[in-house]
Amino acid sequence: ALLCLLLLAACRGAAGPAGTAEAAAPQSAPADAVPETTATPESAPPCTDAGLTQALDDCLAYEADSAGGSLKTAIAADGLVRCLACYSGSEADLTACAVRWYDGLDAEERALLALNWPGVCGTARSITDSDEAVQGLLADAGVDGDYTGVDLPAAADSLDALDAVLAAPEQPEK
């Protein structure tokens, strides 16, 4: 659940990390502001390159073939879909961000990406396709599978662009 909140915070472009005194400090907000924990997908601000980078980093936070790997894959896929659905840049911006992120990985991280990406991408595609079969996995992972208001077609298009970079990283588009 904490990982999901962190992903949502990253997708919303949050300034401070969760759990710090900075994040806990009260901030003045307009009276009609929706608290972050209850924000609806329709009111979520766009995801930035920083949010996309965080969502991609979360794809490397575990090993797919380790205990709980499928649940961690579901959590990473959910965060990625939610970020891609509200990504504020163009497809070219998304591709450039993904290439920069990939170029910053060391050999061990690239090997971990090669292990984890097929599962993350496949689960994310199941989410964007509204595949009912993925709902059980999401529920087991503690992910809220309600995508009401989430622009799944936009996420699917962005996922295609991202997959073109990360599935064949030897020759990423620049």
Side-chain angles (χ1 to χ4, degrees):
L2 178 59
L3 180 58
C4 289
L5 289 174
L6 290 173
L7 286 172
L8 289 173
C11 189
R12 291 186 177 103
T20 64
E22 210 177 346
Q27 298 177 2
S28 60
D32 62 343
V34 178
E36 190 169 319
T37 56
T38 60
T40 61
E42 300 85 33
S43 66
C47 178
T48 62
D49 283 356
L52 178 61
T53 298
Q54 180 62 52
L56 291 171
D57 285 346
D58 291 340
C59 296
L60 300 180
Y62 65 97
E63 289 185 28
D65 59 358
S66 65
S70 63
L71 301 177
K72 293 171 187 169
T73 295
I75 293 167
D78 172 72
L80 186 62
V81 166
R82 291 182 189 276
C83 182
L84 292 176
C86 64
Y87 185 71
S88 61
S90 67
E91 185 176 313
D93 295 335
L94 181 133
T95 299
C97 182
V99 167
R100 281 190 307 274
W101 177 82
Y102 182 83
D103 287 347
L105 299 179
D106 61 29
E108 187 176 309
E109 292 167 325
R110 288 179 182 194
L112 187 56
L113 178 66
L115 175 69
N116 292 355
W117 182 249
V120 171
C121 187
T123 303
R125 285 194 195 285
S126 292
I127 293 169
T128 60
D129 291 344
S130 300
D131 183 356
E132 291 296 319
V134 78
Q135 290 301 317
L137 177 62
L138 294 172
D140 289 347
V143 172
D144 177 5
D146 181 8
Y147 293 95
T148 304
V150 176
D151 190 347
L152 293 178
D157 291 345
S158 294
L159 185 61
D160 289 342
L162 195 57
D163 190 38
V165 172
L166 301 179
E170 298 80 32
Q171 299 176 11
E173 296 176 26
K174 292 193 177 193

